[in-house]
Amino acid sequence: MKEITVYKEEGRYCSFPHVLKLEKKLIAVFRRASNFSVKAAIDGVHTHHDPDSEICSIESHDDGNTWDQESFKVIYKSNYGVNDPSITLLKNGDLLLRFVALKITETSKLEYFPKKIFSHRSEHGLVAEVVNNLLMISHDEGNSWVEHSEINCEEIGPSCSRDPIIELEDESLLASVYTGAPQRADISWCLRSFDKGITWGEPTIIGIDPQGKYSERHGKNFNETSLLYLGNGEVLAMIRCDETFHTTDEFMPVGGMGKLFISRSLNSGMNWSEPKDTSIFGQPGHILKIGNNKILCTYGYRKSPFGVRALISENNGSSWDISKEFVISEGYKSWDCGYPFSLMINKNEFLSIYYVNDENGNRFIRSSKWKI
């Protein structure tokens, strides 16, 4: 196991990374927020909603052994706060970047009443509204980016996600998104596009708990969902399912805890099996096909010792042997870490990227290279 710092900057809160392997380089994207977020974490009032936040990228040209700091660039910055970027490599060679945009306003400066409040943190004096999942596209392997569209579906309204869009054989796209909290428990949805992400529709439910119709505290929250296409119309979904908002005796104001559930579609996401509890304690999970019937799941672990763990299924995700769980990284001081994504570098050699916290309250991006 080799741990490598991808990007770290004092006074900056760096989190929610995603990594993609191209022919001659790795490209990682992540969120960089201001000292306001760093100070909030130090004070024990963590926030993931910061109006001074941006989507950034950095590259490696040696399979992740080192990360070229001179390649760092800010991809997107506006008046919105941002969260949870991920990239998809399309069959035509373009890169499609998805991230969440939030309208974050000081309560003392609100000149209207929000349509739907996503978060009201009185301790910060801020109200957040979900704008939507926004998309950007690159035609030159991430060297430059242009605004593309947004994942706009009238039937469900503005949505969040943390996971990459997936592309099927016919170049149609599927996106996992979620809506609901805090007014009701989160619902995990699958949306589709037939025009490279310009328009989206036909929402199908991956996970929902009817008991949560009055509050996120009344039921299971099905939200951040990793999709894996297995071919011939079969799609596996690994769903984060939050059932509590406490870790030990600490309330978590910007997330929850629970197990991972799986669901499966046999018709390209048009409908889904009832979510099944895997018994994996993780927040959230990422799934990756690594061989014949073998699927790797990496996930954040928000109980002490906080960190990142993994499991391998030998039967295309139908079952997971918890006794074979292994640790990728652990020992951090706060639950506010994780969000891993993994990729295969070479046969039986993997890279997992995630975010961690240090003794000064900074959040930064780290990766681990490891072998089975």
Side-chain angles (χ1 to χ4, degrees):
M1 188 79 68
K2 179 182 179 182
E3 293 191 332
I4 302 154
T5 296
V6 176
Y7 185 85
K8 183 177 183 180
E9 185 178 348
E10 290 295 319
R12 290 283 194 164
Y13 188 112
C14 299
S15 57
F16 310 130
H18 181 246
V19 65
L20 186 69
K21 182 175 172 58
L22 303 178
E23 184 177 357
K24 295 182 179 180
K25 66 182 181 182
L26 306 183
I27 179 170
V29 289
F30 58 94
R31 168 187 182 259
R32 185 175 72 164
S34 71
N35 191 59
F36 164 76
S37 295
V38 176
K39 187 177 184 304
I42 293 172
D43 293 342
V45 285
H46 309 69
T47 181
H48 293 162
H49 299 165
D50 190 332
D52 185 10
S53 52
E54 54 205 9
I55 303 299
C56 306
S57 69
I58 194 169
E59 298 177 355
S60 171
H61 301 95
D62 57 7
D63 283 340
N65 291 309
T66 61
W67 291 86
D68 179 7
Q69 301 302 303
E70 292 187 0
S71 70
F72 169 85
K73 63 169 65 74
V74 175
I75 298 175
Y76 180 89
K77 184 174 178 62
S78 72
N79 292 328
Y80 295 141
V82 292
N83 262 334
D84 299 315
S86 63
I87 307 180
T88 301
L89 173 61
L90 301 179
K91 296 181 188 299
N92 66 2
D94 289 344
L95 302 183
L96 194 60
L97 169 69
R98 181 216 49 77
F99 58 93
V100 178
L102 303 167
K103 185 175 182 179
I104 304 170
T105 310
E106 294 181 35
T107 52
S108 62
K109 297 180 180 179
L110 270 175
E111 298 178 349
Y112 65 97
F113 200 88
K115 289 184 179 179
K116 182 179 182 296
I117 298 174
F118 183 50
S119 171
H120 176 201
R121 297 290 297 277
S122 57
E123 63 270 40
H124 299 312
L126 297 176
V127 166
E129 307 164 63
V130 177
V131 175
N132 222 332
N133 280 284
L134 303 187
L135 301 179
M136 299 185 73
I137 196 165
S138 173
H139 305 295
D140 56 8
E141 297 192 331
N143 293 313
S144 62
W145 296 87
V146 294
E147 294 186 21
H148 187 58
S149 62
E150 62 182 80
I151 300 180
N152 192 1
C153 179
E154 291 184 2
E155 292 97 320
I156 67 172
S159 62
C160 296
S161 181
R162 84 111 188 185
D163 294 279
I165 293 164
I166 65 171
E167 187 177 26
L168 308 183
E169 295 102 329
D170 60 356
E171 299 187 6
S172 60
L173 304 177
L174 298 183
S176 67
V177 304
Y178 62 94
T179 63
Q183 292 87 346
R184 64 145 295 131
D186 281 322
I187 304 169
S188 174
W189 303 88
C190 177
L191 302 177
R192 69 190 60 244
S193 173
F194 297 106
D195 55 8
K196 296 291 190 296
I198 300 296
T199 57
W200 295 84
E202 199 65 31
T204 56
I205 292 175
I206 303 174
I208 186 174
D209 184 355
Q211 297 299 316
K213 63 181 179 178
Y214 297 116
S215 165
E216 68 178 351
R217 304 289 293 278
H218 289 186
K220 296 181 177 68
N221 287 267
F222 292 104
N223 44 60
E224 294 162 329
T225 300
S226 177
L227 299 181
L228 178 62
Y229 188 58
L230 299 175
N232 297 320
E234 184 176 1
V235 189
L236 182 67
M238 182 65 76
I239 320 162
R240 176 176 175 174
C241 180
D242 293 332
E243 296 187 72
T244 179
F245 294 85
H246 286 80
T247 173
T248 60
D249 59 351
E250 180 185 3
F251 177 69
M252 304 167 67
V254 289
M257 298 203 315
K259 296 177 183 177
L260 297 174
F261 280 57
I262 58 168
S263 178
R264 199 179 299 266
S265 173
L266 299 178
N267 54 8
S268 300
M270 291 300 299
N271 55 41
W272 297 84
S273 64
E274 183 177 355
K276 173 186 174 184
D277 187 350
T278 65
S279 296
I280 302 171
F281 178 80
Q283 307 86 40
H286 169 245
I287 45 178
L288 175 72
K289 190 169 182 63
I290 62 172
N292 188 28
N293 296 324
K294 290 186 177 182
I295 294 175
L296 170 71
C297 180
T298 46
Y299 44 93
Y301 191 81
R302 290 188 160 182
K303 291 189 294 190
S304 182
F306 307 110
V308 175
R309 300 190 177 193
L311 271 173
I312 293 173
S313 169
E314 304 280 350
N315 54 12
N316 268 345
S318 295
S319 63
W320 302 83
D321 186 350
I322 302 300
S323 68
K324 295 182 180 179
E325 180 183 61
F326 57 94
V327 174
I328 292 176
S329 184
E330 69 176 7
Y332 302 104
K333 293 186 176 182
S334 168
W335 55 265
D336 188 22
C337 63
Y339 273 67
F341 282 97
S342 298
L343 54 80
M344 184 180 290
I345 298 295
N346 297 299
K347 185 178 180 180
N348 293 331
E349 183 180 18
F350 299 88
L351 181 143
S352 299
I353 193 168
Y354 45 92
Y355 81 99
V356 299
N357 49 78
D358 67 13
E359 63 279 1
N360 296 320
N362 290 298
R363 270 58 177 168
F364 63 98
I365 311 301
R366 173 172 281 176
S367 64
S368 292
K369 292 194 74 173
W370 53 277
K371 295 183 179 181
I372 295 178

